């Protein structure tokens, strides 16, 4: 392949670097290691024309790291940069080992930190991630993005070891590590390369199941010399693939930010793109190889040997020298740096000519539209002209602005709460699809999965009722993380079948002497473990050879005592237009700081359900604005054991969306306040699942009046959102004691809201959300 000699000395595109002072560079990719433990066949570093990695030292030496850090700090000081981003990259950066990572991050923080805020990241295949490396990442506040192309089949299509072995299991183990509470702050997201052979929805669901804070899709590397494959002569197969994800993502309520789609939406609403792959923003990025040489973006390695070289290095040249290199400077010129076709294109403001590397053609270098031009045109047109209700007001929003504004009042309509519930359901479905792959190796789970798929076609409401149960999500998450058993999938499916009154004969697992059917109840059987059969016939349910009153359980008679058949039905509290399960059987309900109550007697259950009914009616009567959230989202109440101190406790857990746990309280008024309080936590947790309200990289803590220990920003947001509602309830109650409670909660909330607004940590959407709360309080007399 010929290499245009012009590239090293002058820009290959039509634009020329700007005259005068250079534009500063804020992003640095540090090739910490130039080798990899995988041998992905789509890799642009090792499998494409540029083979310069063979000439590089294996690992960046400490002296080189120090030189890079000094160059970055010098540049940041000269240009008064507030923030610089450094991404530790490779090859595979984890091959450096925990000690070298530790030393590298420490050097970068020590040298750059005093000059500018350092946003330190790492991009990794995850295979070698261990608790020891995670400790290093957290200690130096390094956010790590993991590459994963979908479920096992999709991922193994390219991302394999040199001997052909799968990397999938290792990558999932890495993601499970990053989800641990201790390491979660270092989980940046997942990077997925598109392959048309993979089903887009399965890929989307497999990624969603890993609960990434962000997802990004990359088009496979191609250019005009090696154009993207277009099977069956399809004109825009890559756009079609991404638009299938886009449709499902919108229908799901945008449960995770997808960078490529968010960037297009952002540019459509007049904001800058956040992706190098689209938009006209300057590409203010430079790569530093392991030997300290400056290079252009890595993806250029798919063009030709030496395509990314600049001839500059950190020992002899400053970052200003690199920024002034013609091939780097031209990429900062936006529209002027594009070819004539792109400059005249109606969607150029959103597309920006696509990824630079995709424009290459032997003979005229990068003076071309993208090799993905037809796909980009279609993708941009469809995504940027989505119906207004689906467009965000702010780039970071994943809920429609109306819904976010509505929830920001502190209360919110049933429709807004319904949207949060829809996101929750989408996340559960994604988790189950991810688990289904493993189910093939477990006959009980496999039968359950087949039944669930069949029911989802014919009886979607029954499936939805079961999948919406708070503890199905908790089980699915634990199962994904290896902490719960997959065979419980059969219990989930069996519950849906019983609800749908479908005739089945299915093996279901026994654990700790019990068969549990989520939303229905549990049966004590003789054996501790094993499998029993569950059969249904015209609403008659036989379990472990016994006819059991599951039908009665569905009605949930609250006073029913457990009978000699061993069946323990879930009791139900009904109220106008709704119902709530009193959960004292589900094996996955124990997820709170306070231990849960064991099975209640019929008399105790009756007391609980009656009090819950009265408390919900009380919320209706005295704080109707909060009733919609309580009625729409609250699906289960978990009785907690009393505290030895006699203190009342209540709790909600993001992993069990829709459930509130509470100790027994003496009166309905107290329970009404606790329900409103905990539902606020559920609402905000669901909002934060899909919206960036604050900069998650900011680790500062705030002192708050309701806790002795300083709280992270997320904790403060939760506190103010809950206390706002509690203040609002007390505001409406008569008497001096209520007035005193109102004043206290209002004072707490106002002070913390003002602190949040003054901290500079909120995103645009977050500031709007918190100002919404502030406006509610300002409206109180
Ligand atoms: S993990 Fe990354 S660097 Fe390693 S072979 Fe795969 S794509 Fe290339
Ligand atoms: S759609 Fe094609 S012509 Fe238009 S800006 Fe993108 S690459 Fe250029």
């Amino acid at each position: 392949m010929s290499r245009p000699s012009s590239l090293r000395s002058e820009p290959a595109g039509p634009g020329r670097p700007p005259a005068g002072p250079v534009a500063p560079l804020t992003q640095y990719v540090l090739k910490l290691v130039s080798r990899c433990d995988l041998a992905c066949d789509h890799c642009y570093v090792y499998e494409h024309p540029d083979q310069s990695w063979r000439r590089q030292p294996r690992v960046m030496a400490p002296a080189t790291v120090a030189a890079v850090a000094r160059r970055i700090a010098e540049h940041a000081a000269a240009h008064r940069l507030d923030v610089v981003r450094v991404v530790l990259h490779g090859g595979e950066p984890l091959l450096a080992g925990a000690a070298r990572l530790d030393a590298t991050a420490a050097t970068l923080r020590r040298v750059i930190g005093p000059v500018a805020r350092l946003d330190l990241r790492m991009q990794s295949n995850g295979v070698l991630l261990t608790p020891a490396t995670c400790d290093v990442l957290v200690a130096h506040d390094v956010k790590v993005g993991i590459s994963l192309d979908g479920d096992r089949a999709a991922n193994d299509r390219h991302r394999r070891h040199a001997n052909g072995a799968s990397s999938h299991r290792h990558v999932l183990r890495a993601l499970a590590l990053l989800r641990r509470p201790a390491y979660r702050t270092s989980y940046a997201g997942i990077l997925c390369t598109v392959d048309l052979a993979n089903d887009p929805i399965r890929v989307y669901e497999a990624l969603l199941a890993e609960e990434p804070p962000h997802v990004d899709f990359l088009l496979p590397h191609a250019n005009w010399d090696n154009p993207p494959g277009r099977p069956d002569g399809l004109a825009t197969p890559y756009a079609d693939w991404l638009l299938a994800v886009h449709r499902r993502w919108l229908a799901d309520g945008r449960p995770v930010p997808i960078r490529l789609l968010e960037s297009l939406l952002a540019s459509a609403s007049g904001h800058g793109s956040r992706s190098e792959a689209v938009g006209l923003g300057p590409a203010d990025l430079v790569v530093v190889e392991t030997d300290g040489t400056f290079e252009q973006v890595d993806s250029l390695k798919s063009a030709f040997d030496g395509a990314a070289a600049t001839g500059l290095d950190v020992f002899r040249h400053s970052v200003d020298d690199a920024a002034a290199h013609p091939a780097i400077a031209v990429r900062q010129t936006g529209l002027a740096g594009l070819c004539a076709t792109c400059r005249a294109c109606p969607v150029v403001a959103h597309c920006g000519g696509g990824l630079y590397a995709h424009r290459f053609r032997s003979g005229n270098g990068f003076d071309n539209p993208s090799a993905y031009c037809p796909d980009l045109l279609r993708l941009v047109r469809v995504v940027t002209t989505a119906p207004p209700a689906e467009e965000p007001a702010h780039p970071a929003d994943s809920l429609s602005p109306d819904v976010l504004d509505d929830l920001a009042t502190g209360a919110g309509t049933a429709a807004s709460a319904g949207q949060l519930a829809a996101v929750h359901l989408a996340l559960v479905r994604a988790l189950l699809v991810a688990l289904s792959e493993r189910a093939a190796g477990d006959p009980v789970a496999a039968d359950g999965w087949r039944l669930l798929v069949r029911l989802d076609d014919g009886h979607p409401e029954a499936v939805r009722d079961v999948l919406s149960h708070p503890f199905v999500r908790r089980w699915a998450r634990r199962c994904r993380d290896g902490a719960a058993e997959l065979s419980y999938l059969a219990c989930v499916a069996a519950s849906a079948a019983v609800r749908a009154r479908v005739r089945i004969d299915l093996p279901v697992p026994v654990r700790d002497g019990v068969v549990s059917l989520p939303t229905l109840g549990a049966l004590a059987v003789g054996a501790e473990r094993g499998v029993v059969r569950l059969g249904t016939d015209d609403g008659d349910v036989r379990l472990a050879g016994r006819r059991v009153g599951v039908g009665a359980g569905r009605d949930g008679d609250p006073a029913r005592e457990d009978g000699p058949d061993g069946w323990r039905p879930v009791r139900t509290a009904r109220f106008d237009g709704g119902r709530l399960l009193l959960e004292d059987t589900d094996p996955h309900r124990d997820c709170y700081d306070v231990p849960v109550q064991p099975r209640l007697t019929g008399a105790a259950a009756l007391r609980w359900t009656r009090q819950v009914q009265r408390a919900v009616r009380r919320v209706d009567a005295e704080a109707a604005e909060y009733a919609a959230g309580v009625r729409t989202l609250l699906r289960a109440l978990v009785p907690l054991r009393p505290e030895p101190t006699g203190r009342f406790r209540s709790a909600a857990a993001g992993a069990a969306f829709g459930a509130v746990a509470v100790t027994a309280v003496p009166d309905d008024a107290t329970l009404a306040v606790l329900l409103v309080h905990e539902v606020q936590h559920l609402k905000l947790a669901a909002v934060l699942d899909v919206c960036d309200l604050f900069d998650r990289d900011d680790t500062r803590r705030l002192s708050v009046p309701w806790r002795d220990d300083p709280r992270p920003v997320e904790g403060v947001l939760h506190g103010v959102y809950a206390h706002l509602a509690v203040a609002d309830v007390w505001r409406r109650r008569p008497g001096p004691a209520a007035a005193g409670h109102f004043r206290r909660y209002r004072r707490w909330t106002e002070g913390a809201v003002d602190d949040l607004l003054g901290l500079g940590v909120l995103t645009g959407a977050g500031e709007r959300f918190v100002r919404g709360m502030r406006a509610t309080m300002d409206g109180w007399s």
Side-chain angles (χ1 to χ4, degrees):
M1 185 181 304
S2 66
R3 179 173 69 78
S5 58
S6 62
L7 193 74
R8 282 177 193 265
S9 54
E10 62 179 31
R16 291 290 177 270
V22 294
L25 300 181
T26 64
Q27 304 186 61
Y28 303 84
V29 172
L30 258 59
K31 298 303 204 83
L32 190 59
V33 178
S34 70
R35 303 292 187 276
C36 189
D37 50 339
L38 290 187
C40 311
D41 61 13
H42 59 4
C43 177
Y44 55 71
V45 179
Y46 302 114
E47 301 296 332
H48 280 268
D50 186 309
Q51 292 290 300
S52 54
W53 60 273
R54 294 178 188 278
R55 304 185 285 273
Q56 288 292 335
R58 194 179 169 80
V59 182
M60 187 177 276
T64 311
V65 173
V68 178
R70 283 195 298 275
R71 289 299 190 192
I72 295 173
E74 168 189 281
H75 188 71
H79 294 274
R80 300 187 180 183
L81 300 179
D82 292 332
V83 184
V84 293
R85 171 176 288 190
V86 175
V87 185
L88 304 177
H89 216 282
E92 174 46 52
L94 290 176
L95 281 171
R100 183 66 73 89
L101 269 178
D102 189 23
T104 301
T107 300
L108 293 167
R109 289 233 172 263
R110 179 171 43 77
V111 178
I112 302 171
V115 180
R117 185 159 81 76
L118 174 60
D119 176 7
L120 191 50
R121 292 175 181 257
M122 184 167 81
Q123 184 61 38
S124 165
N125 62 35
V127 170
L128 295 175
L129 196 72
T130 61
T133 6
C134 286
D135 288 338
V136 170
L137 296 176
V138 170
H140 295 289
D141 192 19
V142 182
K143 315 285 181 209
V144 59
I146 299 288
S147 302
L148 176 73
D149 288 352
D151 60 10
R152 184 184 167 120
N155 199 63
D156 286 356
R157 207 177 290 286
H158 301 290
R159 307 191 63 80
R160 291 189 302 270
H161 291 271
N163 64 2
S166 167
S167 66
H168 188 247
R169 186 168 51 87
H170 306 283
V171 183
L172 293 201
R173 194 189 54 202
L175 293 167
L177 259 181
L178 288 169
R179 280 193 304 271
R180 285 190 193 169
Y183 304 138
R184 178 91 197 174
T185 56
S186 280
Y187 189 7
I190 295 179
L191 181 63
C192 171
T193 302
V194 172
D195 188 314
L196 299 179
N198 296 330
D199 178 75
I201 301 306
R202 278 193 75 91
V203 168
Y204 163 81
E205 287 179 326
L207 303 185
L208 204 56
E210 300 303 323
E211 296 183 274
H214 288 87
V215 164
D216 200 8
F217 287 104
L218 277 183
L219 288 168
H221 284 296
N223 54 45
W224 290 100
D225 287 357
N226 295 292
R230 297 186 186 280
D232 305 324
L234 291 171
T236 57
Y238 297 91
D240 299 344
W241 197 99
L242 287 164
L243 287 171
V245 172
H246 176 246
R247 277 192 299 278
R248 175 61 187 276
W249 179 64
L250 289 181
D252 284 353
R254 297 164 63 172
V256 63
I258 297 180
R259 193 157 160 237
L260 176 64
L261 300 178
E262 299 273 3
S263 291
L264 290 175
L265 289 168
S267 76
S269 54
H271 298 82
S273 163
R274 288 185 240 142
S275 168
E276 191 199 353
V278 288
L280 283 174
D284 62 340
L285 181 151
V286 70
V287 177
V288 183
E289 279 292 348
T290 49
D291 66 352
T293 49
F294 285 113
E295 291 208 337
Q296 304 173 62
V297 284
D298 234 19
S299 51
L300 287 180
K301 293 186 172 177
S302 63
F304 54 86
D305 193 22
T310 64
L312 308 173
D313 65 71
V314 294
F315 303 105
R316 297 174 302 143
H317 303 98
S318 67
V319 176
D320 271 8
D321 294 333
H325 185 280
I328 291 179
V330 72
R331 302 198 47 220
Q332 307 240 43
T333 57
L335 187 65
L338 299 180
C339 70
T341 310
C342 288
R343 289 203 303 275
C345 174
V347 303
V348 67
H350 310 309
C351 171
L355 202 65
Y356 191 63
H358 295 167
R359 301 176 205 160
F360 178 74
R361 186 198 296 268
S362 296
N364 69 344
F366 297 89
D367 188 13
N368 304 294
S370 167
Y372 284 101
C373 179
D375 295 278
L376 290 171
L377 187 62
R378 175 162 159 68
L379 181 71
V380 168
R381 282 206 158 125
V382 175
V383 173
T384 59
T385 55
E390 292 168 349
E391 289 181 8
H394 304 280
D397 291 357
S398 285
L399 287 171
S400 78
D402 290 350
V403 170
L404 205 63
D405 287 349
D406 181 39
L407 294 168
T409 62
T413 62
S416 299
Q419 189 161 340
L420 299 179
V423 168
H424 158 71
L425 189 59
L427 291 169
V428 175
R429 284 179 177 278
L431 280 167
L432 291 186
V433 170
L435 292 177
S436 70
E437 196 174 323
R438 279 166 43 202
D442 179 325
V444 174
D447 280 356
W449 176 247
R450 277 192 290 275
L451 173 61
L452 201 60
V453 170
R454 182 158 61 87
L455 291 170
D456 204 23
D457 276 343
H459 304 274
E461 289 197 359
V463 172
R464 195 191 58 215
D465 275 355
V466 177
L467 299 193
S468 302
H469 189 52
F471 303 108
V472 169
R473 179 171 176 183
R474 178 157 194 264
W475 157 75
R477 287 174 67 157
R478 296 182 72 223
C479 192
R480 175 201 57 193
D481 296 344
E485 295 188 33
L486 190 57
S487 55
Y488 188 71
L489 187 54
C491 299
V492 173
S495 297
V498 171
R499 288 189 164 276
R501 294 184 174 267
V502 166
R503 199 166 165 173
I504 58 164
D505 180 18
L506 189 76
V508 289
V510 181
R511 292 295 173 263
D512 301 325
V514 171
V515 177
S516 293
L517 299 180
T519 72
L520 296 177
L523 180 77
V525 295
E528 272 295 290
R529 294 177 75 83
V531 171
V532 294
R533 296 205 80 83
L534 185 150
T536 59
D537 194 359
D538 286 338
D540 198 19
V541 177
R542 296 188 68 76
L543 189 48
R546 281 179 251 168
R547 184 173 174 278
V548 292
V550 174
R554 265 159 55 198
D555 296 328
D557 176 4
R560 179 182 147 145
E561 294 291 354
D562 297 337
D565 63 0
W567 176 244
R568 302 168 193 163
V570 176
R571 281 91 163 217
T572 306
R574 294 184 177 280
F575 34 81
D576 300 340
R579 70 191 181 102
L580 182 85
L581 302 181
L582 184 68
E583 252 314 349
D584 59 355
T585 69
D586 195 295
H588 300 286
R589 73 188 189 283
D590 195 356
C591 56
Y592 306 100
D593 290 345
V594 181
V596 297
Q597 285 268 26
R599 179 67 170 170
L600 301 171
T601 64
L606 187 62
R607 278 198 303 279
W608 273 96
T609 50
R610 289 205 167 140
Q611 191 178 33
V612 172
Q613 287 165 329
R614 292 193 302 268
V616 172
R617 282 200 293 270
R618 185 151 184 155
V619 176
D620 285 344
E622 65 182 3
E625 292 90 334
Y626 296 92
V630 170
R631 283 170 168 277
T632 307
L633 298 182
L634 197 54
R635 302 182 65 86
L637 188 91
V638 179
L640 294 175
R641 286 182 192 269
E643 286 259 288
T645 59
R647 195 177 142 216
F648 308 136
R649 292 289 303 273
S650 62
F657 180 78
V660 163
V662 63
T663 55
V665 294
D667 57 81
D668 309 341
T670 303
L671 185 56
V673 171
L674 293 180
L675 292 183
V676 169
H677 178 122
E678 297 304 338
V679 168
Q680 291 299 102
H681 287 306
L682 295 179
K683 281 158 53 180
L684 185 64
V687 168
L688 290 173
D689 269 348
V690 292
C691 279
D692 283 337
L693 295 187
F694 61 92
D695 178 2
R696 290 182 186 273
D697 298 344
D698 195 313
T699 54
R700 284 177 289 175
R701 290 177 172 253
L702 283 173
S703 293
V704 290
W706 61 87
R707 293 272 299 229
D708 294 334
D709 51 333
R711 306 294 295 148
V713 171
E714 184 169 355
V716 180
L717 259 179
H718 265 285
V720 294
Y721 198 57
H723 291 147
L724 168 79
V726 171
D728 210 356
V729 174
W730 283 115
R731 184 175 72 89
R732 297 147 194 256
R733 290 185 174 171
H741 289 314
F742 165 59
R743 281 195 297 275
R744 185 172 81 246
Y745 281 106
R746 179 181 189 163
R747 191 175 64 248
W748 285 359
T749 312
E750 283 182 337
V753 158
D754 291 343
D755 288 348
L756 278 175
L757 288 170
L759 200 59
V761 70
L762 301 173
T763 61
E767 181 153 346
R768 189 178 170 116
F769 192 83
V770 174
R771 287 199 186 283
M773 283 192 254
R774 179 82 230 189
T776 296
M777 289 184 285
D778 291 344
W780 291 340
S781 59

